[in-house]
Amino acid sequence: EDQVTQSPEALRLQEGESSSLNCSYTVSGLRGLFWYRQDPGKGPEFLFTLYSAGEEKEKERLKATLTKKESFLHITAPKPEDSATYLCAVQAGVSGGYQKVTFGIGTKLQVIP
Amino acid sequence: DSGVTQTPKHLITATGQRVTLRCSPRSGDLSVYWYQQSLDQGLQFLIQYYNGEERAKGNILERFSAQQFPDLHSELNLSSLELGDSALYFCASSVKPRGASGRAINTGELFFGEGSRLTVL
C-alpha cells in the first residue's frame, strides 16, 4: 500500500528563519510527487510536481527537491503569509484517466513576525 | 480560484439524515475526485469518476455514493449520517482532453474546490 509520511507535524518559525519540510514515501512505480498548500478552511492549492530523483522546482521562497525515497520543501526567509499546511502527495500508476493519488497528513507551518 | 465549484459551502444536519454535495469541475476536466478531510486527519480518497464512469474507489462507506453526470458535474450522496461523518468534503478535478484526437492530458495535478463543511448533530 502506498504511504506518505510528513515531518514535522507542526513547525513554528520566526520570520526570515529558513527551514525544510520532509516527505518520505513508499510507492510502487512513482509517477509524480506533488506539493500542495492548504489554508484553513480552504481547498489545497497546487504548488509543484516532481517526476524523478534529482529534480528541483522553485517558486518564490519555496524550493522542492526529490530523491528516490523522499522530498523536501525548503522555505527560504519565510514570511507570515507563508503560514499554512503543506501537503505532500504521490501518484502511483495511471491508466487512461485513472490516477491514484495518496496524500500525507501535512506539516502545519506557522511563521511569526 | 481553482475553477472547481462546490455547493453547499456549509451544511448542518442531524444523525440519520441524508445530504447531497455537488461539484462542478473545471471547464473541460474529465475526472472528478471526492476526498474527505476530518479534523487532524489527512485527505482520505473516497471515489473517482472519469467521463461519467466510476474509475476508482477508496475508503468510501457503503452509506455513501456518488455519480458523475453527462455534463461532468458530480454529486456525492451521504445517507444515514452519523456524528463521525462530520468533516470537510472536497471535490477535485483533473484531466483535460487534447485537441482533435480527444486524447486525455494527465499531469497528475488536482484542482480542488473550496470544500463543503458537513456538521452532523
Side-chain angles (χ1 to χ4, degrees):
Chain A
E1 185 176 326
D2 302 334
Q3 288 192 335
V4 179
T5 303
Q6 293 188 246
S7 62
E9 290 187 8
L11 182 61
R12 197 174 182 192
L13 299 174
Q14 292 289 333
E15 184 173 0
E17 179 187 1
S18 301
S19 188
S20 296
L21 313 182
N22 177 264
C23 170
S24 61
Y25 61 90
T26 304
V27 64
S28 300
L30 179 72
R31 300 273 306 190
L33 183 140
F34 311 97
W35 283 97
Y36 287 82
R37 169 189 170 130
Q38 186 176 21
D39 293 302
K42 302 287 187 180
E45 177 187 349
F46 171 77
L47 292 173
F48 302 110
T49 305
L50 300 168
Y51 292 106
S52 57
E55 190 174 358
E56 298 182 351
K57 293 275 180 74
E58 283 189 70
K59 181 179 180 180
E60 297 181 356
R61 295 175 293 281
L62 301 177
K63 179 180 177 180
T65 62
L66 180 64
T67 71
K68 288 187 177 179
K69 292 190 175 182
E70 58 190 350
S71 176
F72 293 93
L73 184 65
H74 307 278
I75 304 176
T76 302
K79 298 182 178 182
E81 53 262 42
D82 294 323
S83 297
T85 296
Y86 290 86
L87 302 173
C88 174
V90 295
Q91 179 189 10
V94 62
S95 174
Y98 166 52
Q99 47 188 348
K100 182 182 175 186
V101 180
T102 303
F103 281 82
I105 290 179
T107 294
K108 187 174 182 179
L109 173 66
Q110 183 184 14
V111 182
I112 303 163
Chain B
D1 183 1
S2 67
V4 177
T5 304
Q6 289 188 248
T7 57
K9 291 191 186 313
H10 301 277
L11 191 56
I12 301 174
T13 189
T15 55
Q17 295 298 305
R18 172 190 171 95
V19 298
T20 297
L21 309 181
R22 181 188 167 98
C23 170
S24 294
R26 288 190 316 163
S27 177
D29 277 359
L30 301 177
S31 268
V32 168
Y33 299 74
W34 286 97
Y35 283 86
Q36 179 192 58
Q37 188 176 46
S38 303
L39 198 63
D40 296 330
Q41 288 197 11
L43 285 162
Q44 300 295 316
F45 170 65
L46 296 178
I47 197 165
Q48 181 209 358
Y49 281 83
Y50 175 72
N51 206 15
E53 294 183 1
E54 180 186 307
R55 278 300 179 98
K57 265 189 176 180
N59 302 321
I60 188 167
L61 300 171
E62 287 191 8
R63 300 183 286 108
F64 296 179
S65 65
Q67 55 184 327
Q68 186 179 28
F69 295 87
D71 66 353
L72 300 178
H73 92 271
S74 177
E75 292 181 356
L76 179 66
N77 301 297
L78 314 175
S79 62
S80 301
L81 285 168
E82 301 176 359
L83 296 177
D85 297 328
S86 296
L88 264 169
Y89 291 85
F90 287 105
C91 168
S93 74
S94 71
V95 188
K96 289 189 181 297
R98 172 190 287 172
S101 71
R103 185 178 177 183
I105 299 172
N106 181 3
T107 64
E109 300 163 16
L110 297 178
F111 296 87
F112 285 83
E114 295 280 282
S116 292
R117 181 175 294 280
L118 173 65
T119 302
V120 183
L121 300 175

